[in-house]
């Protein structure tokens, strides 16, 4: 209870103050809809919110897996080969500095508007950097005792990475995944603001807002929050399972 009760109480109090503010102060819905109005629209559009969440979540999941695998492989290669490290690190930093709002329109113009490929590529790029940086940091932190032991056994570089570096880097890899998982959902939603298939949460939010249906737009925002939390919780669960197996 010490873990989950304080945030639950805080959330209930915050929603109560939010409802009180919008009702007593008469805040118009285009500025801030009341929680009760948002909940009503969420219940009315639960099916559409669910289908849009699946579409956005699929793009985010594909990009998260692709970016994580590429980031981990790049980190393993960079730690093993110095020239690759000198090439990849500046490129990864440059890719992280490019905003999503700049990547999404470019990729949408490069690929067909009837495919989700452009959105998944943007998510892959967004995920790649935190996974690459965290994995590379963990792979480099090897105990000198373990390194000397593997050297005495004449263990090769890639075998040393697989036996020693990867297991010791697991906490750092999951640190990067905890950052990358919610960012994957955010990137997938932002990409939907720039055209393409109108089946995701981002396109439904803009459509509802343009029709002045602000409580419905906020209901889709709640769906987006739920998808982001789900991704984060799944990463936490995987981290606990992997940590339990290692111990």
């Amino acid at each position: 209870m010490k873990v989950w009760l304080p945030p639950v109480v805080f959330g209930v109090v915050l929603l109560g103050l939010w409802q009180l503010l919008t009702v007593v102060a008469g805040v118009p819905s285009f500025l801030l809809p009341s929680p009760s109005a948002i909940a009503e629209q969420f219940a009315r559009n639960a099916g559409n919110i669910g289908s849009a969440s699946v579409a956005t979540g699929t793009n985010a999941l594909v990009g998260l897996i692709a970016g994580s695998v590429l980031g981990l492989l790049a980190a393993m290669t960079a730690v093993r080969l110095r020239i690759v490290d000198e090439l990849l690190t500046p490129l990864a930093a440059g890719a992280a500095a490019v905003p999503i709002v700049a990547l999404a329109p470019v990729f949408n113009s490069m690929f067909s508007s009837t495919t989700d490929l452009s959105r998944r590529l943007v998510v892959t790029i967004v995920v790649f950097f935190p996974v690459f940086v965290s994995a590379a940091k963990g792979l480099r932190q090897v105990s000198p005792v373990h390194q000397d032991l593997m050297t005495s056994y004449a263990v090769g570089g890639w075998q040393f990475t697989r036996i020693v570096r990867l297991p010791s880097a697991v906490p750092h890899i999951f640190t990067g995944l905890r950052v990358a998982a919610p960012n994957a959902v955010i990137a997938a939603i932002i990409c939907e603001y720039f055209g393409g298939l109108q089946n995701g949460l981002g396109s439904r939010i803009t459509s509802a807002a343009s029709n002045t249906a602000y409580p419905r737009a906020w209901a889709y925002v709640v769906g987006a929050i739920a998808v982001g939390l789900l991704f984060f919780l799944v990463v936490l669960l995987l981290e606990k399972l992997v940590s339990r197996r290692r111990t």
Side-chain angles (χ1 to χ4, degrees):
M1 291 180 63
K2 292 181 180 180
V3 176
W4 60 265
L5 187 59
V8 169
V9 173
F10 176 78
V12 171
V13 172
L14 181 63
L15 288 175
L17 292 175
W18 182 354
Q19 180 72 25
L20 184 65
L21 175 66
T22 54
V23 173
V24 175
V27 179
S29 62
F30 66 86
L31 287 180
L32 185 65
S34 64
S36 59
I38 297 172
E40 180 184 358
Q41 289 298 317
F42 190 93
R44 287 185 179 181
N45 298 274
N48 292 332
I49 293 173
S51 61
S53 299
V54 170
T56 300
T58 300
N59 292 333
L61 180 61
V62 172
L64 178 62
I65 294 174
S68 300
V69 172
L70 291 175
L72 182 57
L73 292 177
M76 293 169 59
T77 307
V79 171
R80 181 73 179 90
L81 302 174
R82 183 177 179 181
I83 186 172
V84 176
D85 185 21
E86 294 175 351
L87 291 172
L88 281 181
T89 302
L91 288 176
V98 178
I100 304 172
V101 293
L103 286 176
V106 173
F107 283 172
N108 279 337
S109 63
M110 291 173 59
F111 302 98
S112 172
S113 60
T114 60
T115 178
D116 288 318
L117 180 59
S118 60
R119 299 169 181 176
R120 295 173 181 180
L121 287 176
V122 172
V123 176
T124 300
I125 294 173
V126 169
V127 169
F128 176 84
F129 181 72
V131 175
F132 171 77
V133 172
S134 298
K137 181 179 179 181
L139 290 169
R140 289 190 177 97
Q141 294 184 358
V142 178
S143 172
V145 175
H146 293 161
Q147 191 162 0
D148 293 341
L149 181 62
M150 292 297 105
T151 302
S152 65
Y153 288 156
V155 174
W158 292 112
Q159 190 177 7
F160 177 69
T161 299
R162 179 175 59 85
I163 297 174
V164 178
R165 290 189 188 274
L166 270 179
S168 63
V170 167
H172 292 83
I173 294 172
F174 275 103
T175 299
L177 288 175
R178 286 199 302 269
V179 176
N183 286 344
V185 178
I186 295 172
I189 293 173
I190 293 177
C191 289
E192 294 170 356
Y193 293 157
F194 298 94
L197 296 174
Q198 302 295 301
N199 59 347
L201 290 168
S203 58
R204 300 294 176 86
I205 292 171
T206 55
S207 175
S210 63
N211 291 322
T212 67
Y214 300 107
R216 189 168 78 239
W218 275 82
Y220 281 105
V221 171
V222 173
I225 295 172
V227 175
L229 287 175
L230 177 62
F231 272 57
F232 183 73
L233 291 175
V234 169
V235 171
L236 289 182
L237 179 61
L238 289 175
E239 183 178 10
K240 285 190 175 183
L241 292 176
V242 171
S243 299
R244 191 172 299 174
R245 288 189 61 184
R246 291 176 67 226
T247 56

